[in-house]
Every structure is written in structure tokens, then in C-alpha cells.
Amino acid sequence: MKYSLDRHEKYVLIILEEKKLNSLISPKLKSEMILMNAEGIRNIILDLSQVLYSDSSGLSSLLVGHRLCKNSAGSFIISGLSENVERLINISQLQDVLSITQSVEEAIDLLFMEEIERDLNRSEE
């Protein structure tokens, strides 16, 4: 699996450098996200702007990332979907489950807004 990582204080950006998110790539992506989560990373932005195709195992890896981040009170945001991948997500009715943005910049903004909201909720308790 070809990808690059951009680590920041509050999040990690994974840029998937593959054309297909399929059964060959998906298990590697899942294990990478599980390792990150085990290291204490709870906010992940996944840039799929280079991915042109995904199958059900690719969707599965997106749901794993979503669950890992949600269970650790974090955010999992996907950005840069191609038409084909977006169509698959819509057909699977996951567009309301997953956080999706057009660009990485929008994903970063959304992530920080969600962080602020979580901080406010904690301070009210």
C-alpha cells in the first residue's frame, strides 16, 4: 500500500496514494489505522483524492476508521472523494454516517470545530 502520513498535534492526515481501495489495500489500511489508534491518535483525516475506485472491502476500512475514532472520542473525516467512490457510499447509505468533505482544508476545519465542541461539552459536565 502506497500512502503518506502527515502527523500534527491534534490529528494525522493519511494520503492514500492508490487508484483502488479494494481487498488488496483495505486490510493494510485497517491495520495502519488500528495501530495509530493504539498509539493514542484519535483524529484521522483520510485523503482519498487519488482513489478512483472502491469496493465493499474499501467501505469496510472506512467504517473501521470511523468506529476507532468514534470509540476514542475523536473524529474520522474522509476528503476528496471521486464520483465512483461517492456513488458507492451513497448507494450504501453511509453518507450520513461518515464525515465527508471536499478538501483536506475543509476536513481540518471540521476536525477543529468538532474538537472545540467536545471541549465545550466536557467543560459543561
Side-chain angles (χ1 to χ4, degrees), residues 21-24 26 53-60 88:
L21 180 54
N22 56 22
S23 58
L24 299 174
S26 184
Y53 168 82
S54 178
D55 62 10
S56 59
S57 64
L59 281 182
S60 171
L88 180 63

Side-chain angles (χ1 to χ4, degrees), residues 85-104:
V85 177
E86 186 173 8
R87 192 176 309 116
L88 180 63
I89 288 172
N90 290 339
I91 288 169
S92 305
Q93 298 183 334
L94 295 173
Q95 70 274 11
D96 296 329
V97 174
L98 300 169
S99 296
I100 302 169
T101 63
Q102 295 293 317
S103 68
V104 171

Side-chain angles (χ1 to χ4, degrees), residues 59-115:
L59 281 182
S60 171
S61 65
L62 300 181
L63 290 170
V64 166
H66 172 74
R67 189 191 73 233
L68 288 168
C69 293
K70 185 177 179 183
N71 288 348
S72 57
S75 298
F76 180 73
I77 304 171
I78 305 160
S79 71
L81 294 182
S82 70
E83 268 186 50
N84 290 333
V85 177
E86 186 173 8
R87 192 176 309 116
L88 180 63
I89 288 172
N90 290 339
I91 288 169
S92 305
Q93 298 183 334
L94 295 173
Q95 70 274 11
D96 296 329
V97 174
L98 300 169
S99 296
I100 302 169
T101 63
Q102 295 293 317
S103 68
V104 171
E105 292 77 19
E106 289 177 53
I108 294 167
D109 289 345
L110 177 60
L111 186 136
F112 279 105
M113 285 192 318
E114 290 177 351
E115 277 288 300

Side-chain angles (χ1 to χ4, degrees), residues 9-20:
E9 183 181 342
K10 295 266 188 193
Y11 66 94
V12 169
L13 170 63
I14 303 172
I15 302 167
L16 194 57
E17 298 166 353
E18 298 280 353
K19 297 287 182 219
K20 296 179 179 180

